[in-house]
Amino acid sequence: MAEKITARSQDYNQWYIDVVRDAKLADYSDVRGCMIIRPNGYSIWEKMQQALDMMFKDTGHVNAYFPLFIPESYMKKEADHIEGFAPECAVVTHGGGEELAEKLYVRPTSETIIWSTYAKWIQSYRDLPILINQWANVVRWELRTRLFLRTTEFLWQEGHTAHATEADAIEEVMKMINVYRKFAEEYMALPVIVGRKTESEKFAGALETYCIEAMMQDGKALQSGTSHHLGQNFAKAFECRYQTKEGKLEYVWATSWGVSTRLIGALIMAHSDDKGLVLPPKLAARQVVIVPILKGDKTLVLEKANRLAAMLRAKGVSVFIDDSEQNTPGWKFAEYELQGIPVRVELGPKDIQAGQCIIARRDTSEKMTIALDDQTDEQIHDLLSTIQQNLFDRAKAYRDAKMKPVSTYDELKAQVEEGFAIAHWDGTAETEAKIKEETKATIRCIPTDAAFIEQYRLHDEGKCVYSGKPSRQKVIFAKAY
RNA sequence: CGGGGUGUAGCGCAGCUGGUAGCGCGCUUCGUUCGGGACGAAGAGGCCGUGAGUUCGAAUCUCGCCACCCCGACCA
C-alpha cells in the first residue's frame, strides 16, 4: 500500500507534497528546485493549454516562439526590469567550450527579446496591434522552491502585445485578465478576485499589474495570473516607434500577460482532500474510470463495460476501463481516488444481473446506484457537469466564509491568520510595508470588479486600518504563497 | 543566506552502547483470489551519500565535504 497522505489538518504543506507525489503529478529532479512533471501532472497542463489557447485565439491572438537566450545588453535596457529580475537570472557564460563575448540570460520572461524584435517589425500604425502569445519555459533562480508553485524552471504562456494607443493597451490588459478569470472559474472551478497590484507588488517594468487572486484551503492567497500594462517603458527602451496617420512618430504601447504551471498547484490546493487529488472534470484527462469486478462471467462484465465506455465516448466523455487483473477492485478504487478521477463506475456480475451500475463521485465521495440502460451515459455526462459546478460552489463558499471585512488592526492581524481580510488602506507604501513587516500579510490586490466592489462596499469612505488616516478604498490583505 | 531535518534495496523505514545488513510495501514466478489498497509459497535486489580519521574491525564513533527536503527572508 502507498504511504498514507498526511491529513490537511495535521500539516498542510506536507499534505500538498504528499498529494503531488502520490498522485504522480511530479517528482523531484537531481537539480535543486527543478521538477519533473509526470504524465498525470502534464496532462492537466495540456488541458489548461488547450482551453487557454482557444480563448487566446478567440480574442485575436496568434502563437509564436522567441529564443530562450537573451543577450545581456537587452536585459539591461529597461532599468526597473533588470533591477527586478537580475538577482534571479541564470546566465550562460560559455558555449562550445569558449567564453562568450556577451553573456546570455536564460529568459526569466521575454519582454526584452520581444521588444527588440517588435522594434524591427513596427513602422506604421498599420503594423499595429501585434497580438502574440508564446508557450514556453522560463527560469528564475528562486531561493525557495515548492513543487508547481515556485520552481526554478517552469512552463507558462506569455502574451506580448503592441498597441497604437494607451486606451487600446489598457483594453487589452483588462480583456486578458478577464480571460484568466473566466478560465479559472469555468475550467478550474476556482473563484478568483480580479484586482490591481500596489506599486510595490507590481511587475518590474510595468505601469500597472492586474491579477487574479485565489484562496487556498489553508486561507492563503495564490496569485494565479497577471496582466501588465507596460506603458511605453519597453518601447522607449528599445526605440520602438510607429508613424501615425498624421505622420507623427509615437512610442508603441505594450502589454504582457501570463499564467504558469503554478495553476496546477492552485488546482490541487483549492479542491483536493485527504484522499488525494480532486480534479474538475474539465481539466481531467480521464474523466471516468470503469472498474469491472472480474469474477464469475468476466466476458459478460467486460462486454457491458466496453459498451458503456463506447456510449460515453460518443458523448465526448473521456473514459477508460481498468480491466487489469493485477490489482483488486479495492486497490483500484483507492488509486483512482488518489489520482483525482472525477467519476468511477463499478460494474460487476451482481450489477449486470440487476441491470445497474454503481457510480462514485470523487468530489463528495457519494456512491449511488443507477440503472444500466440507454440513459446511463447521459446521466454520467450530466454528473460531470454537476461535479464541475459543485467544486466551484464549494470553493466559493469556502472562500467567502474565510474572507471578512475588518475595521481595526487587531482584527486584521487575526483575520490574516484565517484567510483574507478586507480593510481600508490609506494608499501609502509605508503603511503597506509596516503591515507586511508586522503581520506577514501583503495587499493581494485592489479589487477592480464592479460587482465585488459593490458587494463588499469597497469604495465607502473610511479610515485606514493601520494609520487611521482617511481612506477611499478597501483592499484585500492576506498571507500569500 | 539563517534555522531544522534526512541521506541504508525501487519506495518508506529499522539497525547507531562498533563484529560486514534487516523489516514493510513494491518487483519476479506459480497458484488461489477479486464489490474498499487480497492471500500463500518460492525468488531477485544494497561498494549503508562522499572523503579522511580512530580501531584488529566502522552503516554504527570523530571531523570535513556534498546533496536533497522542510521552515523563514526575495519572488509567477
Side-chain angles (χ1 to χ4, degrees):
Chain A
M1 187 182 125
E3 189 74 357
K4 191 104 176 109
I5 294 173
T6 305
R8 284 167 293 182
S9 56
Q10 191 194 325
D11 183 343
Y12 191 80
N13 290 317
Q14 190 57 46
W15 164 81
Y16 175 77
I17 293 160
D18 288 353
V19 170
V20 170
R21 297 199 70 171
D22 291 351
K24 301 184 179 71
L25 299 175
D27 216 337
Y28 294 105
S29 87
D30 290 334
V31 179
R32 177 196 184 80
C34 290
M35 70 188 288
I36 293 151
I37 305 176
R38 303 180 67 171
N40 284 352
Y42 200 78
S43 72
I44 298 172
W45 183 236
E46 285 179 315
K47 282 277 176 186
M48 289 177 166
Q49 284 182 302
Q50 274 169 25
L52 284 166
D53 205 60
M54 193 176 70
M55 293 167 93
F56 297 158
K57 301 280 171 60
D58 284 349
T59 43
H61 301 87
V62 290
N63 286 332
Y65 187 79
F66 290 80
L68 172 68
F69 298 123
I70 301 179
E72 182 171 43
S73 56
Y74 287 19
M75 285 298 296
K76 290 187 168 167
K77 282 193 178 169
E78 213 286 331
D80 289 341
H81 189 70
I82 186 68
E83 194 187 321
F85 282 104
E88 50 182 285
C89 282
V91 181
V92 179
T93 57
H94 288 73
E98 301 271 312
E99 186 164 351
L100 300 173
E102 179 174 7
K103 290 177 192 162
L104 296 175
Y105 278 52
V106 178
R107 64 178 164 225
T109 177
S110 301
E111 273 76 8
T112 58
I113 196 144
I114 282 177
W115 279 89
S116 71
T117 308
Y118 283 3
K120 296 177 200 164
W121 290 351
I122 298 166
Q123 275 98 45
S124 132
Y125 71 94
R126 294 176 199 272
D127 298 322
L128 296 171
I130 293 180
L131 304 173
I132 286 181
N133 173 64
Q134 84 166 345
W135 292 95
N137 59 338
V138 286
V139 167
R140 296 182 188 177
W141 218 261
E142 301 290 349
L143 299 174
R144 169 117 157 72
T145 58
R146 287 169 194 265
L147 294 167
F148 288 115
L149 299 177
R150 176 164 294 107
T151 46
T152 300
E153 179 190 11
F154 57 95
L155 306 182
W156 77 347
Q157 64 57 221
E158 45 181 328
H160 294 274
T161 68
H163 305 267
T165 67
E166 179 168 29
D168 287 352
I170 291 173
E171 188 189 333
E172 170 77 6
V173 169
M174 299 317 292
K175 181 191 287 174
M176 297 321 288
I177 201 67
N178 279 308
V179 163
Y180 289 153
R181 179 242 292 268
K182 187 175 158 73
F183 173 76
E185 292 178 349
E186 293 183 9
Y187 287 84
M188 297 177 67
L190 185 68
V192 292
I193 298 170
V194 180
R196 189 161 43 84
K197 285 291 185 189
T198 61
E199 274 300 302
S200 62
E201 295 279 332
K202 74 183 192 190
F203 177 77
L207 255 46
E208 295 284 6
T209 289
Y210 289 83
C211 62
I212 51 172
E213 291 285 330
M215 185 194 283
M216 303 296 101
Q217 290 180 64
D218 61 352
K220 286 169 80 173
L222 185 72
Q223 178 175 306
S224 304
T226 48
S227 182
H228 313 291
H229 173 30
L230 301 174
Q232 296 174 310
N233 290 349
F234 286 93
K236 285 176 179 166
F238 289 91
E239 268 307 313
C240 181
R241 290 195 278 184
Y242 74 98
Q243 202 163 19
T244 65
K245 268 183 194 169
E246 295 76 30
K248 282 188 354 188
L249 276 182
E250 300 279 1
Y251 284 109
V252 175
W253 295 85
T255 84
S256 69
W257 30 272
V259 296
S260 71
T261 37
R262 163 180 268 194
L263 290 180
I264 297 172
L267 201 60
I268 298 162
M269 289 204 292
H271 301 308
S272 299
D273 61 25
D274 291 350
K275 289 200 287 187
L277 187 64
V278 174
L279 282 177
K282 284 190 183 178
L283 293 178
R286 302 187 295 185
Q287 297 171 309
V288 175
V289 57
I290 300 177
V291 178
I293 311 301
L294 297 172
K295 69 176 174 191
D297 189 350
K298 294 181 188 177
T299 326
L300 182 63
V301 173
L302 282 175
E303 188 192 309
K304 292 278 185 189
N306 277 304
R307 194 175 303 168
L308 177 58
M311 285 163 72
L312 285 166
R313 285 192 190 108
K315 280 247 175 323
V317 174
S318 163
V319 56
F320 76 108
I321 302 170
D322 185 349
D323 60 356
S324 84
E325 300 197 43
Q326 305 306 315
N327 298 304
T328 61
W331 186 91
K332 293 174 186 173
F333 297 169
E335 181 64 18
Y336 296 121
E337 279 165 3
L338 182 55
Q339 293 188 21
I341 295 181
V343 171
R344 178 179 72 244
V345 178
E346 301 170 22
L347 190 59
K350 282 187 237 165
D351 299 308
I352 287 166
Q353 205 158 35
Q356 63 181 36
C357 62
I358 313 281
I359 306 290
R361 288 174 65 159
R362 179 63 183 91
D363 61 334
T364 59
S365 292
E366 203 180 333
K367 266 198 190 193
M368 56 208 132
T369 305
I370 65 169
L372 191 61
D373 53 28
D374 55 7
Q375 305 289 306
T376 316
D377 54 340
E378 188 66 42
Q379 281 180 274
I380 292 173
H381 179 266
D382 291 349
L383 178 60
L384 289 169
S385 305
T386 305
I387 292 172
Q388 183 79 30
Q389 186 61 43
N390 179 53
L391 285 174
F392 178 82
D393 293 346
R394 190 165 78 179
K396 184 160 190 304
Y398 186 85
R399 184 200 70 183
D400 290 350
K402 283 189 164 255
M403 178 165 65
K404 295 205 182 83
V406 297
S407 48
T408 68
Y409 191 44
D410 281 342
E411 280 174 17
L412 182 135
K413 281 192 232 175
Q415 180 56 27
V416 296
E417 297 302 322
E418 300 301 314
F420 291 6
I422 302 172
H424 270 295
W425 169 55
D426 61 20
T428 67
E430 294 73 43
T431 296
E432 184 185 9
K434 281 286 180 192
I435 293 175
K436 181 178 177 182
E437 194 183 316
E438 294 171 19
T439 68
K440 308 287 182 208
T442 51
I443 296 175
R444 298 319 302 157
C445 70
I446 303 160
T448 53
D449 179 72
F452 190 88
I453 291 168
E454 177 62 24
Q455 186 186 349
Y456 288 95
R457 317 282 320 159
L458 300 186
H459 287 181
D460 287 3
E461 300 266 324
K463 284 189 181 355
C464 173
V465 73
Y466 185 83
S467 67
K469 291 183 199 156
S471 155
R472 283 168 300 149
Q473 62 188 350
K474 290 184 195 168
V475 298
I476 310 285
F477 285 92
K479 291 189 175 183
Y481 277 99

